[in-house]
C-alpha cells in the first residue's frame, strides 16, 4: 500500500473540510507541499476559506417572525406599488434570503427577500436568528 503524495493529502483535507462545513482550510493547506512557494500555498488557503464563508452565508437560513396582528403582504418588488401576491399570518416564521433598501414603510426602508420568492417589509418582521445579509 502506498501513501498519497502531498498534493492528494491537500485535496483530501480540503474535500473533508468542505463537506464538514468548517473553516479549517487555512491551517490544513499551510502545512503542505514544500516544493511550492509558501505564499502561494497560504493564498490558496485564504481563497478556499473565503469561498467557504460565501457558501456558508448563501446556505444560511435567516428567519423572522411576523409581528402585526393582521399579518403581512408578500410583494413582487420591495415596494407597495404592486398588488400583493400573497400574505403571511401573524406569528409565522419566515425564511429570509437577504435584504435591500426599498420603499420606506413606517420609517424603515428595509425589505426582505423570502427564500421562496417575494418581498416583505422588514418593518413588520422580528429577526429570530441574526440579521440577513444585503442582496
Amino acid at each position: 500500500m502506498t501513501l498519497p503524495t502531498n498534493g492528494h493529502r491537500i485535496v483530501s483535507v480540503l474535500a473533508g473540510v468542505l463537506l464538514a462545513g468548517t473553516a479549517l482550510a487555512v491551517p490544513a493547506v499551510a502545512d503542505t507541499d514544500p516544493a511550492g512557494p509558501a505564499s502561494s500555498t497560504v493564498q490558496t488557503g485564504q481563497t478556499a476559506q473565503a469561498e467557504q464563508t460565501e457558501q456558508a452565508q448563501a446556505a444560511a437560513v435567516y428567519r423572522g417572525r411576523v409581528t402585526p396582528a393582521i399579518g403581512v403582504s408578500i410583494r413582487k418588488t420591495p415596494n407597495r406599488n404592486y398588488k400583493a401576491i400573497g400574505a403571511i399570518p401573524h406569528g409565522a416564521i419566515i425564511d429570509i434570503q437577504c435584504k435591500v433598501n426599498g420603499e420606506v414603510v413606517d420609517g424603515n426602508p428595509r425589505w426582505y427577500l423570502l427564500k421562496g420568492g417575494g418581498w416583505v417589509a422588514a418593518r413588520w418582521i422580528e429577526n429570530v436568528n441574526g440579521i440577513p445579509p444585503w442582496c
Side-chain angles (χ1 to χ4, degrees), residues 13-15 31 39 51 65 76 85 93 95 101 104 124 135:
V13 168
L14 285 175
D31 296 325
S39 63
E51 288 175 8
R65 180 176 293 110
K76 186 175 181 178
I85 59 172
I93 301 295
D95 291 341
N101 282 331
V104 176
W124 310 120
C135 295

Side-chain angles (χ1 to χ4, degrees), residues 1-2 5 7 14 25 35 43 46 50 54-55 59 79 82 93 98 112 123-124 127 129-130:
M1 177 174 181
T2 61
T5 64
L14 285 175
Q43 181 60 40
Q46 290 170 345
E54 288 175 17
Q55 290 172 354
N79 64 60
Y82 293 94
I93 301 295
C98 58
Y112 291 149
R123 168 63 182 96
W124 310 120
N127 294 320
N129 66 335

Side-chain angles (χ1 to χ4, degrees), residues 43-69:
Q43 181 60 40
T44 302
Q46 290 170 345
T47 302
Q49 185 177 16
E51 288 175 8
Q52 288 177 7
T53 301
E54 288 175 17
Q55 290 172 354
Q57 287 176 344
V61 176
Y62 295 91
R63 292 197 166 92
R65 180 176 293 110
V66 175
T67 58

